[in-house]
């Protein structure tokens, strides 16, 4: 995603952020709407030595250093698990390595306390250039309570001209003591038209389907496209699952399969309740609804199973076997039949099929 075009829906929050004087900003939005891109744009603007209309010029030494990821007055705190997806290798981020040599361990989803301490040490050094310093913490909820508490003093009284940018999906997931020390900057989701136009500009086809698949999050839709998941492949999911054709999903990463099944389950439950589906089109869901949708109780049980699977989706199981097991489990939903319970008009009972 690092090479993607600037998300146009961030223009407005960027202008708002540039007008804010607070030394600590909390950039938040429901879901991933480009908080990281916005944080980086604000950092570039604040560090630029010849800003134009408050924005980074792109030409000064500071802008070049930012582009090369070697600005000495910029520091990024990122969980290891986000480095590859965001295109920031460990050396880029200037974060002091802990040297524990955990190269074989799964990349952490947490911002570690030692990385935070290194950032605090960095923040106390004199600025190497014009005086401004920027610390980005993405996402701030990746700090556990101990780490977040270690940040409080810096957040309360940043040394020199340090400014902090924290990001979050849900500000409520942060410690109240952290939240209250930041001024909030809310991002608003792009309209469907804005999201689709942006995706089309990146060469994505089937933008309407992929945007829905990503719950309206354009950058997540782009990620689907970059993983090789086309609009057609997404639309085939409901029918493939109903027919137990796990091979249709076998090339997808296991977490992506779990996510797709989750979204399918959500839409089937919504259909059961008479609502409009969110992630799949009505046309894509039609084969799954014929001759009947799986019964409500079976869908609710499946949803619980999927939540469990999501918690273990990084379990080092053999991926194709895992996908096969997940789709076989899903296909079994359609093996249950619905019959009217005697004496209760319209009430439904679930019986095993056959
Ligand atoms: Zn500049």
């Amino acid at each position: 995603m690092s090479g993607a075009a600037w998300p146009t829906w961030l223009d407005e929050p960027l202008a708002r952020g540039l007008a804010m004087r607070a030394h600590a900003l909390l950039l938040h939005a429901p879901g991933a709407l480009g908080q990281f891109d916005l944080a980086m744009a604000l950092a570039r603007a604040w560090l630029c030595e010849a800003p134009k209309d408050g924005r980074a010029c792109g030409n000064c030494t500071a802008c070049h250093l930012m582009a090369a990821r070697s600005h000495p007055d910029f520091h990024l705190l990122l969980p290891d698990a986000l480095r590859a997806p965001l295109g920031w290798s460990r050396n880029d981020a200037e974060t002091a390595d802990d040297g524990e040599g955990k190269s074989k361990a799964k990349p952490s989803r947490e911002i570690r306390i030692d990385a935070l301490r290194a950032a605090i040490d960095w923040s106390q050094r004199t600025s190497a250039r014009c005086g401004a310093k920027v610390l980005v913490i993405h996402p701030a909820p990746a700090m556990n309570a101990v780490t977040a508490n270690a940040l409080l003093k810096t957040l309360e009284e940043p040394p020199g001209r340090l400014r902090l940018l924290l990001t979050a999906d849900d500000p409520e997931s942060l410690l109240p003591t952290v939240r209250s020390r930041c001024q909030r900057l809310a991002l608003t989701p792009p309209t469907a038209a804005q999201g689709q136009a942006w995706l089309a500009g990146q060469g994505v086809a089937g933008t309407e389907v992929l945007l829905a698949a990503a719950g309206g999050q354009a950058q997540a839709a782009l990620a689907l496209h970059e993983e090789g998941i086309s609009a057609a492949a997404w639309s085939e999911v409901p029918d493939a699952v109903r027919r137990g054709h796990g091979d249709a999903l076998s090339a997808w990463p296991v977490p992506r399969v779990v996510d797709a099944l989750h979204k399918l389950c959500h839409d089937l439950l919504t259909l059961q309740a008479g609502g409009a589906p969110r992630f799949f089109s009505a046309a894509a869901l039609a084969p799954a609804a014929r001759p009947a949708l799986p019964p409500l109780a079976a869908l609710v049980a499946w949803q619980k199973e999927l939540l469990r699977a999501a918690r273990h989706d990084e379990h080092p199981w053999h991926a194709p076997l895992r996908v096969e097991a997940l789709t076989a489990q899903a296909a079994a939903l359609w093996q249950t039949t619905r019959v009217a319970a005697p004496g209760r008009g319209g009430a439904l009972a679930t019986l095993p099929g056959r």
Side-chain angles (χ1 to χ4, degrees), residues 48-49 57-58 60 63:
C48 174
E49 290 159 16
C57 72
C60 69
C63 283

Side-chain angles (χ1 to χ4, degrees), residues 44 47-51 55-64:
R44 281 192 295 269
L47 291 170
C48 174
E49 290 159 16
R55 300 196 181 199
C57 72
N59 290 315
C60 69
T61 310
C63 283
H64 286 305

Side-chain angles (χ1 to χ4, degrees), residues 32-54:
L33 292 182
Q35 286 93 321
F36 183 68
D37 300 83
L38 181 59
M40 292 304 295
L42 284 166
R44 281 192 295 269
W46 289 342
L47 291 170
C48 174
E49 290 159 16
K52 288 180 183 157
D53 303 326

Side-chain angles (χ1 to χ4, degrees), residues 155-247:
L155 208 49
E156 178 88 17
E157 290 173 32
R161 284 173 52 203
L162 175 70
R163 298 182 83 173
L164 294 100
L165 288 163
L166 282 68
T167 73
D169 287 2
D170 176 14
E172 303 310 312
S173 61
L174 286 169
L175 286 184
T177 43
V178 169
R179 219 164 47 220
S180 66
R181 283 167 169 81
C182 299
Q183 200 170 333
R184 294 193 191 194
L185 175 56
L187 283 68
T188 40
T191 62
Q194 243 176 343
Q196 284 184 44
W198 182 79
L199 285 168
Q202 318 282 307
V204 178
T207 56
E208 190 182 354
V209 169
L210 289 181
L211 196 59
Q217 297 180 8
Q219 289 179 316
L222 181 63
L224 285 173
H225 167 79
E226 287 172 345
E227 280 173 28
I229 297 174
S230 66
W234 183 261
S235 298
E236 281 164 16
V237 167
D239 195 37
V241 168
R242 179 185 65 92
R243 281 141 42 105
H245 287 183
D247 46 337

